[in-house]
Amino acid sequence: MKTQPGINGAGLGPGKKTRLNRILRQHGLCNGTAMFLPYDHGLEHGPRDFFDNPAVSDPAYTIRLAIEGGFNGIAVQIGLAEKFYWDYAGEVPLVLKLNGKTDIPPDAEALSPLQASVADAVRLGADAVGYTLYVGSPAQETDFRQLRQVRVDAQRFGMPLVVWAYPRGAAIEAKGGRDSFYAVDYAARTASELGADMVKVNFPHPEKTSGVKDAYRREFSPQQAIDAVVRSANRTLLLVSGGEKQGDEAMLEKARQAMEAGATGLIFGRNVWQREHDESLRFVAHLQDILAKYPQPGTLQV
Ligand SMILES: O=C[C@H](O)COP(=O)(O)O
């Protein structure tokens, strides 16, 4: 079992340190691991994601689910944060997503425009901000510039920065696609190089990599691939994302492999809430059993 090298507290400043401590040590299992509930699908995919469990289209229901499930944070866009979070302020940390887009236009030149600021996050009592970075998109240069300003603001306001590092674009598709080992590994490293405190990535698939040098061995096991991705993220805390709903065993195995590799935690949305309330909590309890086996005492070194 590997443990995360951890963020070096000395470089964080008091605001980031306090907020990360609240997320990692005062919520969830309080053991340095983290489980976040993402809930920006209404914007990113449209309401279709809520059809399997219509209750989840109500943001109040979903925030309560995050509280009942003992999550370390819930990630929402500005509109929902302003309308709903204040009813539950402090009961579960808020990760304010600063940018977002619909999936209506094609993804070829993906760029997620800013909808909110780090100052909004401070005003709303958030403990972190989220930014989607499309690594490899033709619009990458604009994206990097946008992220730079968010990073500078996050540093100034003492706000942890979580980067959703999503490979996108034709060049990525030519190398095996957005969840190939190559693409996920590069995205994790990019987020770390650009100053993320945490990075959210898809689980890497070695067998999907193509058209790149031999270093990305297609015969790597899933465990070897996620080990490499955690190494690439280095002191940026790594969160593994859920993706479309799959069977529970496959998801729990993914969670186990991620934690074994030294990931800090999970950010599973559809796999948690595309099912009836008690079933969601039952699945969350299984995820927590896994996280409990991988305490991360050094996650936040102060
Ligand atoms: O921000 C969107 C979410 O990352 C998607 O989460 P999910 O794939 O676990 O539903």
Side-chain angles (χ1 to χ4, degrees):
M1 169 178 125
K2 301 177 191 65
T3 52
Q4 252 283 355
I7 289 184
N8 184 346
L12 284 174
K16 280 195 181 187
K17 218 158 71 179
T18 302
R19 291 184 169 99
L20 281 171
N21 207 38
R22 213 175 283 145
I23 291 172
L24 296 166
R25 303 265 168 221
Q26 293 169 18
H27 285 87
L29 298 177
C30 307
N31 68 349
T33 65
M35 202 171 61
F36 291 96
L37 192 66
Y39 184 58
D40 56 351
H41 306 60
L43 174 69
E44 298 287 340
H45 304 155
R48 72 169 187 272
D49 277 3
F50 309 137
F51 289 177
D52 283 351
N53 175 18
V56 87
S57 74
D58 174 4
Y61 167 91
T62 313
I63 296 172
R64 282 197 299 272
L65 185 66
I67 295 166
E68 291 166 49
F71 280 81
N72 298 71
I74 182 164
V76 299
Q77 288 282 347
I78 182 83
L80 302 193
E82 287 186 334
K83 291 184 187 73
F84 293 92
Y85 180 70
W86 59 273
D87 275 338
Y88 305 96
E91 293 186 54
V92 59
L94 170 67
V95 180
L96 184 69
K97 267 311 296 292
L98 300 186
N99 61 347
K101 67 170 194 53
T102 72
D103 74 354
I104 300 168
D107 242 4
E109 307 213 354
L111 175 71
S112 190
L114 283 171
Q115 318 298 336
S117 63
V118 180
D120 287 322
V122 173
R123 173 174 60 81
L124 291 164
D127 282 315
V129 291
Y131 182 95
T132 298
L133 177 72
Y134 288 124
V135 178
S137 163
Q140 182 181 269
E141 196 182 320
T142 310
D143 212 349
F144 278 16
R145 214 175 304 124
Q146 200 173 246
L147 173 60
R148 177 179 182 275
Q149 191 54 52
V150 168
R151 178 183 54 76
V152 168
D153 290 348
Q155 201 62 33
R156 184 158 65 95
F157 284 105
M159 185 64 71
L161 171 60
V162 187
V163 169
W164 274 227
Y166 285 169
R168 285 290 186 281
I172 291 291
E173 295 310 319
K175 292 177 172 66
R178 55 184 70 172
D179 59 352
S180 70
F181 173 29
Y182 162 81
V184 173
D185 193 40
Y186 207 157
R189 183 73 193 197
T190 302
S192 176
E193 302 262 354
L194 297 185
D197 299 306
M198 291 193 200
V199 57
K200 167 187 193 289
V201 291
N202 290 323
F203 199 93
H205 289 267
E207 76 287 359
K208 290 192 181 173
T209 301
S210 65
V212 287
K213 299 252 188 278
D214 291 345
Y216 286 97
R217 307 254 299 274
R218 292 166 61 89
E219 65 273 20
F220 265 18
S221 68
Q223 189 66 62
Q224 285 173 307
I226 188 69
D227 285 354
V229 172
V230 173
R231 269 198 307 277
S232 293
N234 51 80
R235 282 191 157 162
T236 297
L237 306 180
L238 191 109
L239 303 171
V240 167
S241 146
E244 284 181 16
K245 190 144 176 285
Q246 295 173 34
D248 287 6
E249 260 322 301
M251 293 311 296
L252 294 174
E253 183 54 20
K254 197 189 266 196
R256 257 189 298 273
Q257 287 172 340
M259 298 311 293
E260 184 65 32
T264 294
L266 311 169
I267 175 161
F268 287 6
R270 286 164 287 181
N271 278 278
V272 168
W273 45 249
Q274 279 183 342
R275 53 175 107 207
E276 185 269 323
H277 177 265
D278 292 355
E279 270 298 295
S280 295
L281 293 181
R282 189 194 56 78
F283 179 63
V284 166
H286 287 312
L287 293 175
Q288 278 164 341
D289 287 346
I290 294 171
L291 264 57
K293 294 192 181 112
Y294 296 93
Q296 300 277 345
T299 306
L300 184 59
Q301 296 165 3
V302 292

